[in-house]
Amino acid sequence: MTEEDKLHRFTSVEFTRFKAFKRFRVNLKHFNVLVGPNNSGKSTILAAFRILASALRTANARKPIPIGDSLGYGYNVDLSSISVAEENIFHNYESESGAEITFHLSNRSTLSLVFPADGGCHLIAETQGRRPPSPSIFKRAFNCPIGFVPILGPVEHHEEAYARETARLALFNYRAARNFRNIWYHYPDEFDRFRDMLTETWPGMDILRPELDTSYTPPRLHMFCPEDRFPREIFWAGFGFQVWCQMLTHLVQSSKSSIFLIDEPDIYLHSELQRQLLVILRNLGPDILIATHSTEIITEAETDEILLVNKKVGASRRLKNPSQLSEVFSALGSNTNPLLTQLAKTKKALFVEGKDFQILGKFSRKMGNAEIGNRRKFAVMPGRRI
């Protein structure tokens, strides 16, 4: 991989007067599970990345333009395609001072989303104190594509075959479910990988490439799913299967991104698929950012992957040891005992003390996640001397 092809990682994000946050900072690692009660700010963090994803697509295709006397050169960002209400951008609806989000990258460059008091949104990019003058220079300095799972829903009964560009745009907006077959019809390169993931995680089911049916005007796309060798169109499969197919589609299509976002996957997936999702995400490639209330995801995650979000304080807090999980469940309003939850999923338990827990805990996860969908073979629980 050349230096130009090297992905740049997001190391932190700073919010100033944006939506739920007056001032807030999030420090990121490879795997990040955002937890907290409702209205704590988790979705605000993911919304910021979705706005930035749209801004990056603009900056990768156009030269910067003057965006104001005080801001210099940058890019205008269209918020209409992201479903972000502009009147709800500012903290406590106080628009007098505007709002700003600054993303810090691993190459020490910064990307700032600026929301002036008079409306609109601008992207300002700086690397080594300079602003890139052209799309080619921007791509080299800010090679940080963002992938995410959009709003999911039932697939269309009769999906027309659309243009390739329409299918590409469907990856980034709320129309993804309507264009599910079109995505794989026009972008089939990773289909075999997608199919392998599906057959490994949903026993008895398979899926075939989309077929073009020209007997209709306009032509339609069909996608058959053999179940125990009996094929049926995906529309007639259950909603859970449709959503899982869409989830895997966006995972695979975004495997070369710098960071991948999922907002509350527990809304769509039952507990076993949630656990399998984490296994897949760990092997995907990009950094991961998940917002969730799921006890299954939280107990399956490593302790230091969990960030507690509270808009009333100045920064997210990353957990340091398993004993803090009880605080997380308390914040979520759950009376679940995380240690008992882990024990219930295992056949054997090993009680240890001290730092042995962190070491053997990671070993147990490696052993338990050797195959997609396998549960842990044993649990390592912190103990104390009596």
Side-chain angles (χ1 to χ4, degrees):
M1 178 183 295
T2 66
E3 189 64 27
E4 293 183 0
D5 295 330
K6 184 178 179 180
L7 286 174
H8 303 134
R9 304 289 182 174
F10 291 91
T11 58
S12 64
V13 189
E14 294 179 291
F15 296 85
T16 304
R17 297 182 298 275
F18 179 77
K19 293 175 76 67
F21 302 127
K22 185 175 183 180
R23 288 193 179 276
F24 197 81
R25 181 183 179 92
V26 182
N27 294 318
L28 301 173
K29 291 185 176 181
H30 171 58
F31 212 91
N32 309 272
V33 181
L34 304 177
V35 300
N38 288 328
N39 199 33
S40 62
K42 302 185 301 297
S43 294
T44 296
I45 296 170
L46 269 67
F49 274 98
R50 292 197 60 173
I51 296 172
L52 180 63
S54 178
L56 289 175
R57 291 194 292 272
T58 299
N60 280 321
R62 303 175 188 172
K63 291 183 177 180
I65 61 173
I67 54 175
D69 295 337
S70 60
L71 296 177
Y73 279 77
Y75 310 86
N76 291 323
V77 182
D78 181 11
L79 298 179
S80 62
S81 61
I82 316 170
S83 300
V84 176
E86 292 191 52
E87 65 272 13
N88 193 27
I89 287 292
F90 307 105
H91 179 69
N92 288 342
Y93 302 96
E94 297 172 357
S95 61
E96 291 79 6
S97 301
E100 186 170 341
I101 311 169
T102 300
F103 302 82
H104 297 268
L105 299 176
S106 55
N107 65 347
R108 299 184 179 181
S109 299
T110 60
L111 291 160
S112 296
L113 292 171
V114 179
F115 304 88
D118 57 357
C121 176
H122 310 297
L123 172 66
I124 298 176
E126 291 192 355
T127 178
Q128 299 179 347
R130 300 177 181 178
R131 300 189 181 185
S134 67
S136 59
I137 295 176
F138 182 92
K139 290 177 183 178
R140 289 197 297 269
F142 300 94
N143 187 16
C144 52
I146 300 169
F148 55 86
V149 175
I151 297 173
L152 304 180
V155 301
E156 292 285 293
H157 189 183
H158 303 299
E159 184 175 329
E160 297 179 7
Y162 296 117
R164 180 181 172 89
E165 180 65 9
T166 302
R168 186 185 72 84
L169 293 176
L171 287 168
F172 309 120
N173 61 36
Y174 61 91
R175 298 185 181 183
R178 297 183 183 180
N179 293 273
F180 172 72
R181 303 174 187 81
N182 273 276
I183 291 170
W184 282 119
Y185 182 75
H186 290 288
Y187 297 93
D189 291 348
E190 296 287 341
F191 183 84
D192 289 341
R193 184 183 178 190
F194 158 72
R195 183 183 182 186
D196 288 343
M197 282 186 180
L198 181 68
T199 55
E200 287 174 357
T201 55
W202 201 291
M205 290 292 287
D206 196 357
I207 194 164
L208 306 179
R209 294 173 183 263
E211 301 175 2
L212 184 65
D213 186 348
T214 57
S215 64
Y216 295 92
T217 304
R220 295 177 182 175
L221 289 172
H222 303 302
M223 204 166 182
F224 290 95
C225 307
E227 181 178 11
D228 298 326
R229 298 185 179 181
F230 181 80
R232 55 178 169 172
E233 221 282 327
I234 190 172
F235 174 79
W236 298 107
F239 175 64
F241 180 77
Q242 293 179 18
V243 166
W244 186 235
C245 287
Q246 294 173 58
M247 184 78 72
L248 293 182
T249 293
H250 293 284
L251 288 171
V252 171
Q253 294 286 355
S254 299
S255 60
K256 296 181 180 179
S257 298
S258 174
I259 192 168
F260 186 77
L261 325 171
I262 307 183
D263 193 3
E264 299 191 8
D266 35 301
I267 293 176
Y268 304 103
L269 309 176
H270 64 70
S271 57
E272 182 58 31
L273 285 181
Q274 292 175 39
R275 288 190 284 268
Q276 295 191 60
L277 175 64
L278 253 66
V279 177
I280 294 172
L281 290 174
R282 293 187 190 284
N283 300 317
L284 187 64
D287 291 344
I288 303 298
L289 188 59
I290 305 174
T292 186
H293 292 97
S294 167
T295 57
E296 284 80 9
I297 290 177
I298 294 169
T299 53
E300 199 75 14
E302 300 283 355
T303 303
D304 62 358
E305 294 171 344
I306 300 173
L307 289 94
L308 192 56
V309 178
N310 182 352
K311 65 183 180 182
K312 296 180 181 180
V313 299
S316 61
R317 179 162 60 88
R318 193 174 293 273
L319 270 56
K320 295 182 179 180
N321 59 72
S323 64
Q324 295 175 305
L325 282 174
S326 297
E327 180 185 352
V328 171
F329 285 109
S330 177
L332 295 176
S334 171
N335 58 5
T336 302
N337 187 314
L339 299 183
L340 293 179
T341 301
Q342 289 180 333
L343 274 175
K345 296 186 295 182
T346 60
K347 296 180 179 179
K348 297 179 181 180
L350 175 65
F351 289 85
V352 300
E353 61 181 357
K355 293 184 179 180
D356 292 345
F357 177 79
Q358 284 84 359
I359 296 171
L360 293 176
K362 292 182 179 179
F363 176 74
S364 75
R365 285 176 169 80
K366 289 290 185 181
M367 293 295 294
N369 294 338
E371 297 181 15
I372 291 178
N374 275 6
R375 293 185 177 183
R376 296 175 188 165
K377 303 302 181 185
F378 60 93
V380 183
M381 312 302 293
R384 64 176 68 178
R385 292 185 179 182
I386 299 177

